[in-house]
Amino acid sequence: DKNAEAFRLDGIVPEQPIDYDTVQTHQRISLNLIADVTGATPARIKELNPALLGQATPDGPYALRIPTDTAEQFEQEIAQIPEARRQSWRRYEVRNGDSLTQIAARFRVKAADIAQANHLGAEGVAPGQRLTVPVPFRPEVQHAAAARSGAAAPRTHLVRYRVRSGDSLGSIARRYRVSIAQLQRWNGLTRTQLESGRVLSVHVAGAGHSSRSRAVAAAKTAHTYKHRAALEPPALPPGRTALAQP
């Protein structure tokens, strides 16, 4: 920058700074819900918050960037969703031609559940009406790459892991080659702290056996090879012939 002409950088025109509002969050909120209440898309929310690696805000305080002039709308809309449901529930604005049945099919929920969550009567819905959609919590066990390519999702099996003293979400995630976010989704965790003795559900890639079963099988295989090696005579140098035992 001090020698811009020498490095031919003097003709660069800087981009305009990105405009955004900032709001404080204190629990996990899905990017889909944030997009719903701000009129944006999940991709836009990701663009404004490149530090978010998962599909939700973190557990603790987080300065969330949202499109400019949407902070007040965000606060009003997010208040319609119970804090414990902000990782899965959605908000939706009714469009022309929408029916309660069509909206339910879009989000794969029951029309009766939407009606109950919004205290709807027999009059149905009207264009412009804002609805809370009680989408159930659905853990993601499908790899994103497989989903994008259209390939079949890898088979998984369920492992029950009992938390031991000294365990952390990170150490358990590394043990089973999954992410911390997945462990939190599968077990409904809103914090990273773990209590000893708690049993966690882990969806491990690969079909058939648990990690303990594979470890036992590996141990048996190693014992078989060791026993076989003890019975076999040692290898002879080239050109030598073993004598028959009497």
Side-chain angles (χ1 to χ4, degrees):
D1 183 58
K2 294 179 181 179
N3 300 277
E5 294 184 6
F7 290 93
R8 300 180 182 178
L9 300 176
D10 52 321
I12 294 179
V13 179
E15 295 182 353
Q16 293 295 323
I18 299 176
D19 292 328
Y20 54 83
D21 289 347
T22 303
V23 293
Q24 284 288 329
T25 63
H26 300 278
Q27 72 283 322
R28 294 178 68 84
I29 305 176
S30 73
L31 298 190
N32 285 328
L33 178 57
I34 296 170
D36 292 342
V37 302
T38 59
T41 63
R44 177 58 177 162
I45 301 302
K46 273 273 196 181
E47 182 181 352
L48 291 174
N49 300 272
L52 292 178
L53 302 181
Q55 297 301 314
T57 56
D59 297 324
Y62 179 75
L64 175 68
R65 297 175 179 178
I66 56 178
T68 186
D69 298 328
T70 62
E72 183 177 355
Q73 176 181 336
F74 174 88
E75 298 294 351
Q76 293 175 352
E77 285 281 309
I78 205 69
Q80 305 300 316
I81 306 293
E83 290 188 4
R85 306 295 184 183
R86 293 177 182 177
Q87 197 174 344
S88 60
W89 284 22
R90 303 285 299 273
R91 290 284 286 172
Y92 179 76
E93 182 173 338
V94 180
R95 306 169 185 173
N96 288 324
D98 276 344
S99 68
L100 196 57
T101 302
Q102 291 172 332
I103 298 171
R106 181 192 301 268
F107 290 98
R108 294 186 293 172
V109 299
K110 296 179 180 178
D113 292 340
I114 299 179
Q116 182 179 4
N118 295 275
H119 308 289
L120 299 177
E123 67 277 5
V125 295
Q129 184 177 1
R130 300 286 297 177
L131 298 177
T132 294
V133 185
V135 179
F137 185 75
R138 297 187 180 102
E140 297 177 6
V141 296
Q142 178 171 303
H143 287 204
R148 288 194 299 268
S149 64
R155 296 180 64 184
T156 62
H157 63 276
L158 179 63
V159 172
R160 301 290 187 183
Y161 179 80
R162 186 177 298 276
V163 178
R164 305 171 185 174
S165 178
D167 278 342
S168 66
L169 280 180
S171 64
I172 298 172
R174 288 191 295 272
R175 177 193 297 266
Y176 291 102
R177 297 183 180 180
V178 297
S179 68
I180 293 177
Q182 286 176 315
L183 287 177
Q184 290 177 316
R185 286 196 299 271
W186 294 331
N187 296 278
L189 300 175
T190 58
R191 302 182 304 169
T192 56
Q193 291 81 4
L194 293 175
E195 297 179 358
S196 297
R198 173 164 183 166
V199 178
L200 299 180
S201 297
V202 188
H203 297 270
V204 182
H209 305 287
S210 66
S211 58
R212 180 176 178 83
S213 299
R214 290 196 300 271
V216 172
K220 289 181 178 179
T221 302
H223 176 75
T224 300
Y225 282 124
K226 182 177 180 180
H227 181 68
R228 182 181 300 170
L231 297 178
E232 292 178 352
L236 296 175
R240 298 290 300 274
T241 304
L243 296 177
Q245 295 294 330

